[in-house]
Amino acid sequence: MSLLTTKAFTMMRRLLWAAVFVTLVPFAALAQADRVDYSAWNDLTQEVEAEIEAEPHDVDALETLRGRISDFRNQFQTAQDANSERIDTLKAQISALGEPPAEGETEPQAIAERREDLNDQLQEAEVPRVKADEAYRQADGLIAEIDRIIRREQAERLFSLGPTPLNPVMWNETSKALIRYGSALVQEVRDVFADSNRLNDAREDVLPAILFIIVGVLFLTRAPDWIEALVTTIWHRIRRGPGVWSLLISLGKVIVPVLGVAMIVSGLQVLQLTGERGAALLSDMLLYVGVIMFAGWLSGLLFPDGDFRAITSIPQEKRKKVRRSGILLGVCLAADLLVNDVSNREEFSVGVTAVLIFPILLVTAFTLLHLVNTLRHSMKSESEESDGTASNVAQISLRIMALAAILAPIIAAVGYRNAAEGLLYPMVGSLALYGIYVVLQQFIRDLYAMLSTQPESADDALLPVLLGYLLALGLLPVLALIWGARISDLTELWARFRAGYTVGDTNISPTDFISFAVVFVIGYGLTRLLQRALKTSILPKTRLDLGGRNAMVSGMGYVGVFIAAMAAVGAAGIDLSNLAIVAGALSVGIGFGLQNIVSNFVSGIILLIERPISEGDWIEVGGEMGYVRSISVRSTRIETFDRTDVIVPNSDLVSGKVTNWTRGNTIGRVIVPVGVAYGSDTHKVEEILMEIAKEHPMVLLQPPPFIYFKGFGDSSMDFEIRAIIRDVNWVLNVSSDFNHAIAKRFAEEQIEIPFPQRDLWMRGYPSAQPVPTDDTPTHQPAAGLPDVSDNGADE
């Protein structure tokens, strides 16, 4: 089997599976809708109502019930579309029977029986939809009620007042609790060593366990330095995309140490040297070490030692301190998680937990305050050096973080530990999330530069900017989770997004707009592909000229976009009949306010059909002369000879006077005027000019050039060379060549090219004439005036 046949078979098989999938998915959804277990739903509603009425509320139980209700609600939403095609068909059949008879009127018995039968079928078909809609609304109400209860419980827990950690009485209780916990861990280890059976079992696997532990320790302690050296080498040696490869490899600073911790934990578990408390503590170490390593990785990317990988503009002398602050924040967050986990497992009192958390809060607040102040001063200095203004949003955000770092320990000292944690650690998480955004944004630019043919333009390209905005939009749910939002809140927003909103009798769903956009983009892309195929492969093999090809390609584009729009409207389920009123209003607006646009649009279509001008033609319109570069649906772009673009409305090209110098062909005439002095041999001049015209390679000999003796001028006898040239675009070059040849031949033949001359007669009459005497000449000229005429040129 040939390669082409194999590819064709593979493509047909994929298309067949796609067709089967598209065909069966709707039926599967309807079948699932028909299998909704309403009895189980009724049992669930009773359980939910009992849990809602119970006091106090179990938040975990309510979250579990909410998830089950959400699953049922999705089934109800799917069931709302059950029998939709059947219902539409029945309504169309009933409509085909005509309007029902008015009161007191009758209709044929067969039609009446058929109408009654169809109405019964319609009512029966609408029962599942109505039942699903009622259950959907009930589920929606229960979810909203559960969400209100959970939010109220969260608010009460957040603002609950506990014992102050500054009470010395609580210090004694805390020390006792820690001693009990440490003693329990030690006792577990003693019990393990006292159990001979467990020791015998551990001896069999001691070598693999020790090997695991040794490799894990190496991964945990030495791997970050190895990876950093590798990243530095790659950055300096790889020319294309060093930022991309460096970032990907630097992820090993997080992955490899966490893998090392996992190996250490596995080795200790194999040796069975810990009890339940130790095992739980070891299993959580993956999270704690991961948080610390991630903080170190992010701090290293944002504030590196050298300038070659710097993303932020923090001065070099401050980066080390800032990087340490970032790592210390990760350590504090891991310590807070550790204390809370141990307190929950050991059921420490609220006071003991508050005392244990308070020093961690103090260190976190001080570190965050130091980091924020450093960032704020660095941004302020950079702004003053550049344009004297700072980023207001960044400055305000950093000031809010600094205020939170000051208030959190005070609130915790009073006794509001939960509020202090809820204020301080989301600030740390928000700062880390912004750092992740900066790193990913730089990664997008580096990736675009690596894949682009012009890497230097990556910072100014549009695609990285758009991807940056999409990235920021995608990180918003993460920011919401950091600030206390529940995953169920995000899923509820998504469910609302899918369900849409009802305006009047119309349900507007954002997914309809997505369907519209996807179908339209696919149709638009197929149209562009077809246009490209026509322009590059099909039309060049036909006898159509360039203007006809461009007209056909443009017309195909308009038709394709229209079909894509109609297909998108159909995919979105938009009823075009409801747009009749809007279309009527638009027609009035078009008639009054958009008449110029419509006129240009119609003129553009006329230009594409009649093709009086085409791309590449040399035209003159409205005093502007140049080449036609593009013809759009509203205007035409002309490039003048001084390389400027003139946008001409299409209506001017249709209704105005247009001179097309190259329409049909490029043959044109050149006219070169020549003047010779009086006294020259006119026949000889005509002979010389004819020779000059015939010798030029651009001049056509059929029809032959013509020398026109135009007449007698003021200073010269005027001739014209009139010749047909092969390409009128070269008319200026041909005229220049003629003038050079004329000057050379006339100089050789001693034929003078005159300049304008004037005879000036100057007469004057003085205000006081002397009385003539016998000695005075009768024709003596007046004083100061010449006696003879002065001939000279005025130019």
Side-chain angles (χ1 to χ4, degrees), residues 720-780:
E720 284 184 356
I721 300 177
R722 298 191 175 190
I724 304 299
I725 60 176
R726 304 177 188 277
D727 193 345
V728 73
N729 295 294
W730 295 82
V731 62
L732 296 179
N733 302 75
V734 174
S735 299
S736 180
D737 293 342
F738 279 176
N739 289 328
H740 285 294
I742 290 171
K744 181 179 179 181
R745 291 292 302 275
F746 279 11
E748 294 174 354
E749 301 294 338
Q750 296 182 352
I751 297 176
E752 182 182 356
I753 300 176
F755 49 83
Q757 298 181 4
R758 296 290 185 272
D759 290 337
L760 300 180
W761 293 81
M762 294 184 293
R763 298 177 181 275
Y765 299 92
S767 59
Q769 294 285 350
V771 179
T773 63
D774 295 339
D775 298 333
T776 304
T778 305
H779 300 288
Q780 183 179 2

Side-chain angles (χ1 to χ4, degrees), residues 400-587:
I400 293 175
M401 290 184 181
L403 181 62
I406 296 173
L407 291 179
I410 299 175
I411 296 174
V414 173
Y416 292 99
R417 177 182 65 86
N418 294 329
E421 288 183 315
L423 177 64
L424 185 61
Y425 290 108
M427 290 292 179
V428 177
S430 300
L431 194 61
L433 185 65
Y434 178 74
I436 295 172
Y437 169 74
V438 172
V439 171
L440 292 180
Q441 194 176 35
Q442 182 64 36
F443 177 76
I444 291 173
R445 287 196 294 265
D446 293 340
L447 183 61
Y448 181 83
M450 184 181 70
L451 300 178
S452 175
T453 57
Q454 298 178 347
E456 64 279 357
S457 62
D459 292 337
D460 299 328
L462 177 61
L463 183 59
V465 175
L466 295 178
L467 293 177
Y469 282 112
L470 292 177
L471 176 63
L473 187 63
L475 291 178
L476 287 179
V478 182
L479 182 63
L481 292 175
I482 291 175
W483 282 95
R486 309 182 339 264
I487 297 179
S488 57
D489 295 332
L490 301 180
T491 57
E492 183 67 17
L493 288 176
W494 176 249
R496 295 294 182 185
F497 181 82
R498 291 180 55 199
Y501 300 91
T502 302
V503 179
D505 296 334
T506 304
N507 183 267
I508 301 176
S509 174
T511 53
D512 295 337
F513 291 101
I514 295 177
S515 301
F516 178 89
V518 170
V519 174
F520 181 77
V521 168
I522 293 175
Y524 183 80
L526 292 176
T527 301
R528 291 305 182 194
L529 289 176
L530 181 59
Q531 284 183 293
R532 183 178 300 176
L534 287 175
K535 188 175 183 179
T536 58
S537 302
I538 300 175
L539 294 180
K541 298 179 181 179
T542 63
R543 296 182 179 180
L544 290 175
D545 58 357
L546 181 60
R549 299 174 193 172
N550 293 332
M552 183 169 292
V553 171
S554 299
M556 180 60 65
Y558 299 144
V559 173
V561 170
F562 177 78
I563 294 176
M566 292 298 99
V569 168
I574 300 175
D575 188 4
L576 295 179
S577 62
N578 296 330
L579 301 179
I581 299 177
V582 178
L586 287 178
S587 62

